[in-house]
Amino acid sequence: MIKDDKLIEVYNRARESVNSIVGTTPEDYKLLMFVDPSLYDSVILQTQRAGTPKAVISSNELQVLQGLKEKKHVASGIDLIYGSRKPKIFMPTNRMDNDPDGKIMEAKLVHAFAKVLISEHTKSKFPDTLQQLFKYDAIISDLFTNNVFEFVNERSAPWIWQYFQDFTASIRLLSLYNEDDFYVPPNTIRSASIFYNYLLEIKDITKKRSKAVNKAPLFDLIVNGFADIVLNEHLRSFDDKVRERIEARLKANLGQPLGTIGNRFLREHGENVGDIFENARELRNDYELIKIWNRGDTKKELEIVRENLNKQSIIWHRSRSSYWSDLWPLRANKFDKIANTYVGKIQRRKYQQFSELLEDSALVTTHGRVVLKDREVAVLGIQEDTIGQEQLLILRNHLQARKDTFVTPLPGLPDVIVFKKFAGMHVASYLGVADKTTDRRYPSSPYDLPLIVRAVQVTKRKGAYKSDERDEDGKIDTANYEHLQKLTEPQHRAIRYLIRQGEISQ
Amino acid sequence: MPHRIFKLTQAHYPDPLVDYSSTEFIMEFQDAAQLLRQWRNPHLGRSSREGTILSIAASTRASYEAIQERLLTTEIGEEEEDELVDNLRVLKFMLDRTLPEALELVNLDQLLTVEDIQEFINKHMQLMKEEYGRNLTTAYDIMNQLTEITDIEITDKFGRKRRISRNDVLDEIGSILGNILLRQISLWPVDDIIARPRGRIHLKKTYISAIKREAVIPPERVQQQDLRVIDKDRLGLIYFIVDMSQSMGKKVFKDGLTRLDGALLTSLGLFYYFKLVNRRKRREFDSFKMHVIPVVKNPYVITDNDRFEDFLMDAEAKGKTRLVHATMAAVKHATDTYKDNNYDVQLVYLSDGRPNVPYDGMIPGIKSKEFAKYFKDNIDTKTPKSAQECMIQLNQIFTALKNTNSRKWTISYFLMASSKFIGSSLYLDTNRMLSGITKPILIDPTEVDNLGKKILKETILNESG
C-alpha cells in the first residue's frame, strides 16, 4: 500500500467531523482509491449501467461506453459509493489535486461516510440486496472467465469470449422483465459439455439475481437525503468565506435532486442530526419517508426547494452565456423528473419496491409473434443499449430452442422485429437470416450468419412505408398477425412493411 | 483508522470495460478479418447500412445523456461547458432530424454504402455546428451572402469543375432559413411552469389569463393554470403575395440582381422550409398548405406545389402594383375554399413598397380615420394619392382580419430594399400602415454577399473530400 500522509490526515478529520455531527462513525467499509483516473471512469460507467461493479456487460454496450470515454463525456465528478452492508467508496486519487488544505476532499469524504453510515445501520433490506447482487455478479463474472477460458482452449474459437459475454448480459436484462423463458434447456444436457453447463448455471444465477433486484426496496431518497443533511451540517462549521469556496467545488455532492429532495423530507423526521439518524434507521423504504405529506403539500414544499436550488446552483457553473438559457433548464429538468415522476409515483401509487417501478415503465416488452408460412417473427420493444444487433442474433438462436426439444444453442433462427426509441426517432428493425435454401450448415461461429437487417422509422405519416419493392405482389397476406398485442397503428404498419421487405429479400 | 484505504492500480483491479470482441482478444488475425468481412459483406445488402444508423443512434443517445450528467456533476471550465452545451444541441438535432432522414434515404436506396451515410451525417453536422455554434450570427451571414440563384459553376481546389443546380442550393437555403427559427430555442423550456402541457402555448391568451388572475399589468408570474394551448390539429394556409410590377424589375442590388429576384429568392427559401417541415412532421396530412398569388391585373391563386415552384423560377416583372386586389383574392380564396375554421392563415407580402391601384369593390372593416389623417397632416409627402388610398385600404383589411375571431390571420410584410431605407418616407408610411398588425422586414440581398458561393463550396468540399 502506498503511504499518503495528507490523505490519512484528511480522512481522519472527516471521520471526526461525522462523529461530532451524528454521534457515531461507520466501521465496516473500504475506501478504494484509483491511481489511474481513466480506470475510475470505466468503473463509474460500468456500475451505472449494469448495477454493480462486477457485472458482465454486453459487447454492444461496451462499445457505447468506450465511445463515451474517448469523447470525454464521462461524469467523472461523481463519487461512486456502493452502499451494501459492507460499503465501498470508490474515488480517483486525483481528487486531492487543486486542494491544498484538503477541505474539499474532507467534505467529499464526510458526504461518503454519511452514506456508508446509513447503509451500515439501516433496518431496510436495501444494503442486503446490494450485497447479494454483488455476490451474484462476482460469481457470474468468475464463472464467465474460467469457463470461457477453458472453452476457448478446447475449441480454439475466439468468438466465444464475445458470445458468452453477450449471452450473459442479454439474459440478465431479459430475466429482469421475465422475458427469458424462451431458453429452457433440459437439465440432462448439463453433462454434454462445459458450454451447456455454463449456460444452465448462468440461467440459474441470473434468475436469482433478478428476484433480488425485484424485491429491493426503493431507498435512494433516504441515503442521499441523509448524506446531504450531514454534509450541510459539516459545511456550517466553517466561516462564510471558506464555506463559499468549498461549496463551489462540491458540484457533484450538493444540489443533486435526490439529495436535496431527500433532505427536505428527512428534516421532518427529527430535530437535530442525531435524532434524524435514529429515525432514518427505522425507515425501510422511500414510501415510509415521504408518506408524511399528501401530494399537494409535497408540491408546495418541493417548489420552495426548487427555488432555493435555482438561486444556489449558479456557483457550480462557469459559463455565463448559457447558464440561464441551457444549464439551469437542464438542472431543473432533472429535478422535476425526480420530484414529479419518482416522488409522484411513490406517493400516488404507494410504490415500495423496485419491481413496481420497473413494471411501470418497462425497458423490455414483448408484443407477441407474427406467424408466417415457414417461420415465426418475434416482436419485442427494447429501450436499452445492452441488446444491439449482435446480441439479437444470439437471442434469436435461442428463441428457436423454445420450439423444438433442445438440440443445440447454435443456429436455430426465428426472426425478430425490435422497436427502439432514440429521443427523436422511433425505429423498428427487422433481423432475419438471408438464405433459407441451404440446409443451415453454418460455419464455426454464430456471427457468421448471412443476415438481413431492415430498419424503418415508425411514423404516422402517410406514404411513409411506400417503396418500389413493396407493390410487386400480394404475398403478404399469408402472414398471420393475430398474435400481436399492445401495439399502435403506426407500429402495426411498420411490422407489415418489414415483413414484406423480409419476404422480398428471402 | 486509515487501514481501510486501498490504493488500486490496473493490476489490482482490471478495467471492467474489456472488449472481448476486440482484436487483442481474438488472437488469430484470420478470425478477426473473417468476422469483419461477414459484417461488412456487400452481398448482405442494406444490413450494414441500417446497422450503421442504429449504432450511431445508440451512441448518440448515450452521449446525449452522458453530457447532461457531466454538466451537472463534474467541475469543468467555461470553455468546455459552452462546448458541451453546443454539443448537446447538435446531438439533439441529429437524433430528431438527421438520423431519421438518413434512415429514410437508406430505405429509398439513396445512400448506398456506409461511407455514404457517414458523409451525409458529417455534412449535416457541419452545417449544424455552424448554425448552433456559439457565434449565432454565422447562419445569418450565410443567408446574407446569396447573390445568385441561377446555376453556378465552381472550381474546387483540385481544379475540378462542377455545375450545381439551383434546386440543390435552394434546398440547402430552405433548411438553413428554417433552422434559424429553431436555433435560439433553449434546450428545455423551463420557467415556473412545472410540467408543460402538450401543444404550442398561445402566448397572448396565456398572458391575458395571467393578468385576469393577478389583476396587475404586467402580471408578475405566469402559472400553470394560466397556460392556454393552441389546438394541436390546427393547420396553416400560407399565401405568398408576390409583387411583380414593373418597379420590381429594377436592378438595385449588386451583380444586377433585381428586386424581383430578391422577392422570389425569399419566397423560394420559405417555400422550401415549409416543405421540409411538412416532410418532417409525423402526421398524415401536410400541416402547411402553400399558395402563391402574383400581383398582376387579374390576380389568381396557384395551389399546386410543382406549378408554384415553376412560377417562382420563371417570374417576370411588368404592370402595376395591385396589392389590394391580390389581398382580396387571397382572402376570398381562403374563406371560400377552406370553410373549416381549423385553418390559420398567413399572408406573406413580398413587395417594393407602394401599391398604386385602389380597389373598387367592397372592402371588409371600417376605414381608419387616424391613418387617413396621418396622410392629410403630412402635407409635403411625396406619396401619390393613389398609393395613399391603397395603403388606407390595406390597413382597413388587415385590421378587419386581425379582429376576426373565427380564425387567426397573420401578416408578414417583406420590403425589398437595403437597410438605408429605414428612414425613408416609404418605410415610415408602410410602418404606419402596419402599426398594431406587424412590422415590415427589410430584405437586402446585397449585404449578403457570398452566401451562395460559400454554401456551394462547402457542398463540393464535402462531396469530394
Side-chain angles (χ1 to χ4, degrees):
Chain A
M1 199 194 301
I2 307 148
K3 200 164 155 56
D4 187 338
D5 293 335
K6 191 177 156 196
L7 175 63
I8 291 170
E9 187 203 323
V10 170
Y11 170 88
N12 283 329
R13 278 212 312 257
R15 278 182 63 88
E16 268 164 40
S17 176
V18 172
N19 194 19
S20 68
I21 294 169
V22 192
T24 173
T25 48
E27 296 303 330
D28 197 8
Y29 62 94
K30 278 179 184 167
L31 171 58
L32 305 170
M33 304 286 293
F34 289 94
V35 177
D36 178 5
S38 112
L39 182 57
Y40 179 66
D41 286 356
S42 299
V43 178
I44 291 189
L45 285 174
Q46 194 253 11
T47 313
Q48 281 182 339
R49 287 299 181 109
T52 75
K54 280 279 177 194
V56 176
I57 42 185
S58 77
S59 59
N60 191 54
E61 196 155 25
L62 269 174
Q63 277 163 10
V64 170
L65 297 184
Q66 248 151 5
L68 293 183
K69 257 180 87 175
E70 274 160 30
K71 282 179 258 168
K72 297 221 165 85
H73 289 165
V74 189
S76 26
I78 293 176
D79 297 328
L80 190 65
I81 285 129
Y82 192 75
S84 54
R85 276 291 176 216
K86 294 181 178 175
K88 292 175 187 62
I89 305 166
F90 298 88
M91 271 186 190
T93 42
N94 66 359
R95 283 285 145 82
M96 296 286 282
D97 301 350
N98 301 326
D99 183 13
D101 53 1
K103 287 242 165 38
I104 290 141
M105 184 64 173
E106 187 187 335
K108 277 178 181 293
L109 283 176
V110 166
H111 193 234
F113 288 156
K115 285 187 184 176
V116 166
L117 193 62
I118 197 89
S119 303
E120 279 184 9
H121 290 275
T122 179
K123 294 209 170 136
S124 168
K125 278 185 195 145
F126 184 70
D128 302 315
T129 313
L130 284 189
Q131 192 83 33
Q132 267 176 318
L133 292 188
F134 193 88
K135 192 181 81 191
Y136 288 139
D137 277 343
I139 296 174
I140 293 173
S141 154
D142 282 353
L143 270 179
F144 167 69
T145 30
N146 294 333
N147 276 292
V148 179
F149 183 75
E150 283 293 312
F151 201 62
V152 171
N153 271 350
E154 187 184 297
R155 302 270 183 101
S156 68
W159 53 264
I160 291 172
W161 278 108
Q162 196 195 340
Y163 184 85
F164 273 61
Q165 175 196 14
D166 284 349
F167 178 84
T168 313
S170 305
I171 281 284
R172 194 185 58 232
L173 177 69
L174 291 176
S175 72
L176 256 189
Y177 296 93
N178 266 329
E179 308 290 359
D180 60 334
D181 57 345
F182 57 84
Y183 176 56
V184 198
N187 223 356
T188 48
I189 203 119
R190 200 179 271 273
S191 55
S193 89
I194 310 175
F195 189 83
Y196 301 128
N197 191 35
Y198 170 77
L199 296 185
L200 276 164
E201 229 17 73
I202 288 294
K203 188 91 203 298
D204 210 29
I205 300 169
T206 44
K207 196 91 213 165
K208 282 185 197 156
R209 186 187 188 277
S210 309
K211 264 189 195 157
V213 172
N214 279 320
K215 276 190 187 161
L218 296 167
F219 201 62
D220 286 341
L221 284 177
I222 299 173
V223 179
N224 290 291
F226 181 70
D228 203 57
I229 288 182
V230 175
L231 179 57
N232 277 309
E233 198 65 32
H234 169 76
L235 291 175
R236 206 166 292 155
S237 64
F238 299 106
D239 61 52
D240 284 354
K241 226 175 173 184
V242 183
R243 193 172 68 223
E244 268 169 34
R245 179 174 65 84
I246 302 174
E247 276 179 357
R249 298 280 306 275
L250 295 177
K251 191 178 186 178
N253 308 73
L254 290 166
Q256 295 301 319
L258 279 172
T260 47
I261 294 174
N263 181 334
R264 183 66 198 89
F265 280 107
L266 268 177
R267 273 194 282 125
E268 297 297 310
H269 286 261
E271 294 281 307
N272 54 39
V273 183
D275 284 354
I276 292 175
F277 176 61
E278 288 304 320
N279 292 328
R281 283 174 57 181
E282 306 292 326
L283 298 171
R284 284 166 199 281
N285 52 49
D286 284 348
Y287 173 68
E288 288 181 9
L289 172 73
I290 64 180
K291 70 180 176 187
I292 48 168
W293 287 328
N294 62 25
R295 198 74 195 109
D297 292 343
T298 309
K299 274 187 184 167
K300 258 181 241 158
E301 291 295 334
L302 291 188
E303 185 63 15
I304 299 168
V305 177
R306 191 178 187 271
E307 256 170 46
N308 287 338
L309 187 65
N310 184 345
K311 279 172 207 151
Q312 192 191 8
S313 64
I314 196 159
I315 58 169
W316 297 306
H317 295 286
R318 302 286 159 270
S319 166
R320 290 293 164 261
S321 52
S322 55
Y323 178 74
W324 287 113
S325 66
D326 298 306
L327 294 169
W328 164 246
L330 203 65
R331 201 174 274 282
N333 186 47
K334 199 179 166 197
F335 182 91
D336 290 345
K337 253 186 209 159
I338 304 279
N340 297 332
T341 319
Y342 184 75
V343 174
K345 268 181 189 166
I346 295 178
Q347 242 164 5
R348 267 184 267 119
R349 302 182 198 163
K350 303 193 170 55
Y351 284 174
Q352 306 190 6
Q353 285 184 359
F354 192 62
S355 60
E356 291 164 311
L357 215 56
L358 269 189
E359 277 164 28
D360 197 75
S361 49
L363 292 175
V364 181
T365 43
T366 45
H367 297 292
R369 282 155 182 256
V370 181
V371 184
L372 298 175
K373 241 190 296 178
D374 52 342
R375 72 214 138 101
E376 286 186 351
V377 179
V379 182
L380 301 166
I382 301 177
Q383 313 303 337
E384 243 267 3
D385 286 332
T386 305
I387 298 183
Q389 302 264 312
E390 299 193 4
Q391 290 69 37
L392 277 177
L393 260 181
I394 292 175
L395 283 185
R396 207 188 37 189
N397 298 346
H398 290 286
L399 279 170
Q400 176 72 14
R402 182 197 204 178
K403 288 202 300 190
D404 310 336
T405 44
F406 187 73
V407 185
T408 161
L410 290 183
L413 316 173
D415 301 345
V416 196
I417 289 180
V418 174
F419 289 102
K420 208 164 199 174
K421 280 180 186 156
F422 306 92
M425 67 193 290
H426 182 185
V427 177
S429 60
Y430 172 89
L431 194 81
V433 163
D435 65 325
K436 294 185 296 188
T437 46
T438 53
D439 50 4
R440 291 185 184 170
R441 249 183 269 125
Y442 291 110
S444 51
S445 127
Y447 296 110
D448 292 350
L449 304 173
L451 59 140
I452 341 161
V453 181
R454 292 286 178 273
V456 71
Q457 163 95 321
V458 178
T459 165
K460 282 186 198 159
R461 207 151 40 81
K462 205 163 85 186
Y465 304 118
K466 262 188 196 153
S467 78
D468 303 336
E469 294 168 74
R470 168 189 162 167
D471 300 316
E472 273 176 14
D473 50 26
K475 229 196 243 172
I476 341 106
D477 297 325
T478 55
N480 179 356
Y481 296 99
E482 280 170 10
H483 305 285
L484 295 175
Q485 42 181 325
K486 288 184 273 180
L487 288 166
T488 61
E489 179 56 28
Q491 281 179 319
H492 266 293
R493 285 171 59 203
I495 290 176
R496 277 162 201 259
Y497 172 79
L498 289 170
I499 295 277
R500 259 174 251 188
Q501 289 279 308
E503 299 251 307
I504 290 156
S505 41
Q506 289 282 326
Chain B
M1 267 155 272
H3 60 277
R4 298 191 192 88
I5 306 175
F6 300 89
K7 283 205 172 178
L8 301 181
T9 62
Q10 282 261 9
H12 303 96
Y13 196 108
D15 193 328
L17 300 189
V18 185
D19 189 353
Y20 297 106
S21 64
S22 78
T23 39
E24 275 177 49
F25 275 88
I26 302 174
M27 297 305 192
E28 300 289 323
F29 175 76
Q30 273 302 312
D31 286 324
Q34 197 190 350
L35 234 162
L36 213 60
R37 214 176 301 125
Q38 289 296 343
W39 190 242
R40 294 289 308 276
N41 186 347
H43 300 302
L44 299 183
R46 289 184 288 191
S47 320
S48 47
R49 286 188 272 155
E50 271 135 349
T52 308
I53 290 184
L54 289 177
S55 70
I56 293 176
S59 65
T60 310
R61 180 179 62 177
S63 289
Y64 182 65
E65 284 160 7
I67 290 177
Q68 294 182 21
E69 188 84 9
R70 183 170 172 86
L71 277 171
L72 295 184
T73 56
T74 308
E75 279 185 72
I76 39 181
E78 182 179 352
E79 218 169 274
E80 193 187 345
E81 214 161 54
D82 284 341
E83 197 182 304
L84 287 180
V85 167
D86 288 346
N87 253 333
L88 216 49
R89 284 164 187 263
V90 174
L91 292 178
K92 192 169 158 60
F93 187 90
M94 196 162 158
L95 281 168
D96 286 352
R97 299 180 64 174
T98 309
L99 288 173
E101 197 166 321
L103 190 61
E104 201 172 310
L105 291 177
V106 166
N107 274 321
L108 294 171
D109 274 339
Q110 287 180 11
L111 298 176
L112 289 175
T113 61
V114 176
E115 286 74 20
D116 281 353
I117 296 171
Q118 226 104 43
E119 203 177 297
F120 173 84
I121 288 169
N122 283 343
K123 211 155 105 184
H124 257 235
M125 296 296 282
Q126 207 174 332
L127 271 174
M128 282 316 105
K129 264 190 193 138
E130 233 160 73
E131 285 174 44
Y132 285 86
R134 208 77 325 245
N135 185 2
L136 289 178
T137 52
T138 328
Y140 286 112
D141 290 347
I142 296 182
M143 246 261 297
N144 289 339
Q145 283 170 6
L146 190 69
T147 49
E148 289 187 34
I149 55 167
T150 47
D151 289 14
I152 286 179
E153 195 174 82
I154 281 201
T155 314
D156 68 12
K157 60 180 175 182
F158 306 107
R160 285 178 296 199
K161 281 192 178 165
R162 224 194 131 97
R163 183 166 276 280
I164 288 184
S165 75
R166 59 183 162 185
N167 262 344
D168 295 348
V169 183
L170 284 165
D171 234 350
E172 296 285 349
I173 296 169
S175 69
I176 291 172
L177 266 171
N179 291 326
I180 284 174
L181 303 178
L182 293 173
R183 227 170 332 101
Q184 278 176 321
I185 299 169
S186 154
L187 287 170
W188 277 270
V190 179
D191 38 27
D192 280 325
I193 303 150
I194 289 186
R196 212 186 134 182
R198 288 176 75 83
R200 204 151 57 92
I201 292 173
H202 195 302
L203 286 180
K204 200 171 165 192
K205 288 195 173 153
T206 303
Y207 289 141
I208 290 174
S209 64
I211 290 169
K212 276 183 187 160
R213 187 180 46 75
E214 296 218 339
V216 194
I217 299 177
E220 272 178 13
R221 54 192 290 160
V222 176
Q223 289 186 357
Q224 178 104 29
Q225 68 214 50
D226 303 328
L227 293 186
R228 297 290 177 273
V229 180
I230 294 172
D231 183 359
K232 256 186 2 187
D233 289 332
R234 290 195 85 77
L235 305 166
L237 299 176
I238 296 165
Y239 288 87
F240 292 103
I241 298 175
V242 186
D243 188 350
M244 300 178 55
S245 60
Q246 210 157 22
S247 57
M248 291 290 280
K250 220 174 181 183
K251 290 181 181 171
V252 290
F253 301 125
K254 222 191 275 173
D255 298 331
L257 208 65
T258 64
R259 285 173 181 158
L260 185 61
D261 291 337
L264 295 177
L265 179 64
T266 314
S267 40
L268 267 176
L270 289 168
F271 170 74
Y272 279 100
Y273 170 62
F274 285 115
K275 225 169 118 177
L276 186 87
V277 172
N278 276 341
R279 217 163 45 194
R280 285 282 139 257
K281 283 234 166 167
R282 293 177 210 153
R283 25 167 53 168
E284 298 204 6
F285 35 78
D286 287 352
S287 307
F288 298 102
K289 288 207 166 132
M290 287 175 282
H291 311 78
V292 68
I293 302 181
V295 179
V296 291
K297 199 166 186 182
N298 294 311
Y300 53 97
V301 182
I302 302 174
T303 49
D304 180 57
N305 271 2
D306 292 336
R307 275 187 60 211
F308 187 126
E309 214 173 328
D310 291 346
F311 166 78
L312 289 179
M313 293 287 187
D314 320 315
E316 231 178 285
K318 60 182 179 195
K320 288 190 166 181
T321 317
R322 293 178 170 83
L323 268 193
V324 196
H325 295 73
T327 310
M328 288 306 284
V331 173
K332 191 164 179 304
H333 187 264
T335 35
D336 289 357
T337 325
Y338 304 98
K339 294 222 164 73
D340 183 354
N341 281 336
N342 260 342
Y343 286 93
D344 291 331
V345 189
Q346 168 108 27
L347 301 176
V348 182
Y349 288 84
L350 301 135
S351 165
D352 61 348
R354 289 202 177 91
N356 50 21
V357 185
Y359 189 69
D360 288 336
M362 265 284 289
I363 288 176
I366 309 159
K367 201 183 254 182
S368 160
K369 281 180 190 157
E370 262 179 72
F371 190 43
K373 197 165 165 269
Y374 162 82
F375 279 122
K376 230 179 205 172
D377 292 352
N378 207 346
I379 303 167
D380 42 296
T381 176
K382 283 179 199 151
T383 319
K385 272 272 175 291
S386 57
Q388 286 183 16
E389 181 63 30
C390 284
M391 285 172 119
I392 292 170
Q393 284 182 346
L394 277 178
N395 176 272
Q396 182 181 339
I397 300 174
F398 291 161
T399 320
L401 292 179
K402 264 279 167 199
N403 293 335
T404 317
N405 284 331
S406 57
R407 66 166 52 149
K408 202 176 155 205
W409 296 79
T410 348
I411 289 130
S412 348
Y413 205 97
F414 292 93
L415 276 177
M416 297 301 127
S418 64
S419 52
K420 277 181 275 174
F421 230 68
I422 219 148
S424 70
S425 66
L426 171 59
Y427 182 82
L428 293 177
D429 289 353
T430 315
N431 202 8
R432 185 66 186 72
M433 172 178 86
L434 297 173
S435 75
I437 297 154
T438 179
K439 278 236 151 76
I441 300 163
L442 288 175
I443 292 257
D444 179 5
T446 36
E447 280 179 9
V448 191
D449 268 2
N450 295 318
L451 150 65
K453 274 183 201 153
K454 191 170 174 196
I455 297 174
L456 293 178
K457 253 183 203 157
E458 268 160 23
T459 328
I460 285 190
L461 279 186
N462 285 335
E463 269 174 9
S464 60

